[in-house]
């Protein structure tokens, strides 16, 4: 198959072993990161070397990083931003030195993915992550000491308040300006060392708590890609994130960006959208959620996609416990489903 199947692994502390991951049919690459350093610090080469070696022992390749986090001061364009950008570039160089070909990151202010519950039980007894507006409404991080799943819990409440105020001041256009500065510095370095940078969309793809969010829709993805028109400046097309806005036509977007070779990495999962904009994460199969995963994969295959793919968030099934979204069983089922779609579609196309 042309696509490169991958699996996220949280390093030595991950309860899922590389041995188990290597037993998933067709598994090729490991998606990981150096977890024991803070954003804005240089990644020790020994950690990268260890990761590479551990993967190779199991016949796997460590060639995707998710993520090199972008320090809030880069996103806010303040304080020692130039120094932080230097560190970012150095981390890309170091990753490349150990064989990394794709680096994922996001440009979401303060909070990464946002959900209101991590273990919502479905009728069949499985659990998954959900975002319900009736749980979300009424929460105000400026007033209440709240911690939603997915947030970096290392911020104190007063730090969160300060950050939210600072983002309020720069607004969306300020965030675009700082993203442009980031890309103009980082993409030439990525090009030089053969790395494709893959921005992860905002999850969910609209402002939360009045914070600006810009990697949200086709118009903004077009704007993003035109800032530096290079395959090194590409997308991590997370269909479950973009798919939480009913206005995003994910099949059409996948086709368009695959045609232009601007998708470096695909995150494949399914979500069920509710009428009020709430959503539930579901099994990967098209009929389980709102996204037509078959049509999305077809859009890739029709354009000769040979980038990285990973089964994204799975449900917790068969009694498994662990990191929400990142258990073994349902992601492994997702992987075999993805394999099936690609094999069928690639073979069909080869006959034409
Ligand atoms: C959630 C992930 C995100 C993603 C980052 C990329 O499960 O997809 O946390 O890794 O947004 O920087």
């Amino acid at each position: 198959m042309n696509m490169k199947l991958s699996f996220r692994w949280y390093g030595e502390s991950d309860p899922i072993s590389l041995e188990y991951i290597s037993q998933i049919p067709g598994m090729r690459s490991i998606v990981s990161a150096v977890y024991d350093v803070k954003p804005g610090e240089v990644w020790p080469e020994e950690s990268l070397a260890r990761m590479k070696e551990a993967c190779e022992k199991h016949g796997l390749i460590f060639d995707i990083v998710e993520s090199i986090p972008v320090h809030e001061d880069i996103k806010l364009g303040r304080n020692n931003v130039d120094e932080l950008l230097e560190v970012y570039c150095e981390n890309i160089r170091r990753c490349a030195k150990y064989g990394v070909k794709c680096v994922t990151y996001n440009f979401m202010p303060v909070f990464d993915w946002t959900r209101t519950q991590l273990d919502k039980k479905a009728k069949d007894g499985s659990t998954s992550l959900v975002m319900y507006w009736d749980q979300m409404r009424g929460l105000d991080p400026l007033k209440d000491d709240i911690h939603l799943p997915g947030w970096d819990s290392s911020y104190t409440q007063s730090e969160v308040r300060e950050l939210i105020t600072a983002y309020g001041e720069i607004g969306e256009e300020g965030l675009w300006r700082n993203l442009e500065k980031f890309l103009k510095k980082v993409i030439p370095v990525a090009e030089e060392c053969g790395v494709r940078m893959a921005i992860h969309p905002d999850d969910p793809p609209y402002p939360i708590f009045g914070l600006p969010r810009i990697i949200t829709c086709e118009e903004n993805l077009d704007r993003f890609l035109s800032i530096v028109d290079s395959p090194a400046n590409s997308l991590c097309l997370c269909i479950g994130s973009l798919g939480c806005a009913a206005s995003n036509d994910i099949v059409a977007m996948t086709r368009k960006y695959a045609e232009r070779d601007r998708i470096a990495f695909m995150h494949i999962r399914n979500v069920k959208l509710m009428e009020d904009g709430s959503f539930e994460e579901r099994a990967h199969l098209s009929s389980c959620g709102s996204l037509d995963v078959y049509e999305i994969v077809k859009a890739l295959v029709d354009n000769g996609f040979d980038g990285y793919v990973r089964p994204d968030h799975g449900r917790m099934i068969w009694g498994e416990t662990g990191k929400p979204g990142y258990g073994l069983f349902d992601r492994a089922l997702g992987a075999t489903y993805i394999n099936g779609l690609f094999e069928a579609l690639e073979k069909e196309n080869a006959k034409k």
Side-chain angles (χ1 to χ4, degrees):
M1 271 180 278
N2 294 327
M3 64 90 182
K4 302 179 182 78
L5 188 64
S6 66
F7 207 78
R8 193 171 194 181
W9 183 62
Y10 283 95
E12 280 143 21
S13 67
D14 195 321
I16 299 161
S17 67
L18 288 171
E19 184 185 345
Y20 281 10
I21 297 172
S22 73
Q23 291 167 351
I24 301 170
M27 195 48 69
R28 176 191 188 275
S29 290
I30 286 295
V31 183
S32 196
V34 172
Y35 292 104
D36 47 8
V37 273
K38 291 204 195 99
E41 289 176 5
V42 174
W43 286 8
E45 288 200 34
E46 310 80 76
S47 307
L48 290 163
R50 231 186 11 252
M51 179 81 71
K52 178 175 156 66
E53 197 189 291
C55 292
E56 281 168 2
K57 255 194 212 142
H58 294 277
L60 296 162
I61 311 169
F62 168 52
D63 53 358
I64 324 174
V65 160
E66 179 174 345
S67 316
I68 305 181
V70 180
H71 196 281
E72 298 298 333
D73 284 345
I74 295 181
K75 290 181 258 180
L76 282 163
R78 67 180 190 181
N79 299 334
N80 54 340
V81 52
D82 292 318
E83 212 174 290
L84 289 166
L85 286 170
E86 286 302 333
V87 170
Y88 204 96
C89 292
E90 176 57 20
N91 280 337
I92 295 173
R93 285 189 201 99
R94 289 187 178 199
C95 287
K97 184 169 165 194
Y98 290 90
V100 169
K101 302 277 180 245
C102 177
V103 169
T104 316
Y105 66 102
N106 72 71
F107 224 74
M108 283 178 253
V110 200
F111 312 120
D112 193 335
W113 53 279
T114 303
R115 302 287 184 273
T116 54
Q117 199 183 333
L118 297 177
D119 58 353
K120 170 76 179 135
K121 203 168 194 150
K123 280 200 194 97
D124 62 8
S126 62
T127 62
S128 75
L129 290 77
V130 298
M131 209 279 295
Y132 291 145
W133 275 108
D134 56 0
Q135 292 174 339
M136 214 33 196
R137 239 173 255 124
L139 294 178
D140 181 356
L142 283 179
K143 287 202 214 107
D144 317 313
D145 189 10
I146 49 168
H147 292 278
L148 284 184
W151 290 9
D152 179 346
S153 51
S154 68
Y155 296 122
T156 64
Q157 208 207 337
S158 67
E159 281 167 339
V160 167
R161 259 199 225 120
E162 191 275 325
L163 284 169
I164 292 181
T165 312
Y167 279 108
E169 278 159 16
I170 68 163
E172 276 190 19
E173 281 310 312
L175 194 57
W176 275 112
R177 253 195 322 276
N178 298 332
L179 177 56
E180 181 169 340
K181 177 166 176 159
F182 171 82
L183 294 175
K184 294 206 161 141
K185 176 82 191 175
V186 157
I187 299 299
V189 173
E191 273 170 349
E192 239 172 66
C193 45
V195 165
R196 293 187 81 178
M197 297 298 296
I199 199 167
H200 188 285
D202 302 345
D203 179 7
Y206 36 76
I208 49 161
F209 306 125
L211 283 165
R213 286 193 155 200
I214 55 179
I215 307 300
T216 52
C217 61
E218 187 172 341
E219 192 188 341
N220 289 13
L221 291 181
D222 285 348
R223 177 170 172 183
F224 166 80
L225 293 172
S226 69
I227 295 173
V228 181
D229 191 11
S230 156
N233 180 34
S234 282
L235 305 172
C236 166
L237 201 82
C238 176
I239 61 173
S241 300
L242 290 166
C244 290
S247 50
N248 281 334
D249 180 342
I250 307 299
V251 176
M253 287 162 86
T254 307
R255 195 165 284 281
K256 172 171 169 177
Y257 300 120
E259 224 167 60
R260 299 177 185 187
D261 191 22
R262 298 305 283 279
I263 304 174
F265 192 14
M266 284 297 294
H267 280 186
I268 295 191
R269 64 182 165 89
N270 212 341
V271 282
K272 179 74 185 170
L273 277 189
M274 316 284 159
E275 265 178 22
D276 69 344
S278 299
F279 59 87
E280 294 176 349
E281 296 193 2
R282 293 281 181 87
H284 297 78
L285 192 71
S286 302
S287 59
C288 293
S290 302
L291 299 175
D292 191 332
V293 183
Y294 166 83
E295 286 294 344
I296 291 165
V297 171
K298 187 166 185 333
L300 294 169
V301 173
D302 286 348
N303 289 290
F305 179 78
D306 62 359
Y308 295 96
V309 177
R310 76 168 174 84
D312 203 4
H313 303 181
R315 303 159 302 149
M316 283 298 169
I317 58 171
W318 303 339
E320 187 178 17
T321 54
K323 201 173 171 59
Y326 286 96
L328 172 66
F329 301 150
D330 202 36
R331 282 190 300 154
L333 289 179
T336 58
Y337 170 56
I338 290 167
N339 275 334
L341 289 176
F342 272 92
E343 180 176 340
L345 287 159
E346 286 183 5
K347 285 192 171 160
E348 272 310 302
N349 277 9
K351 278 191 215 149
K352 282 180 196 160

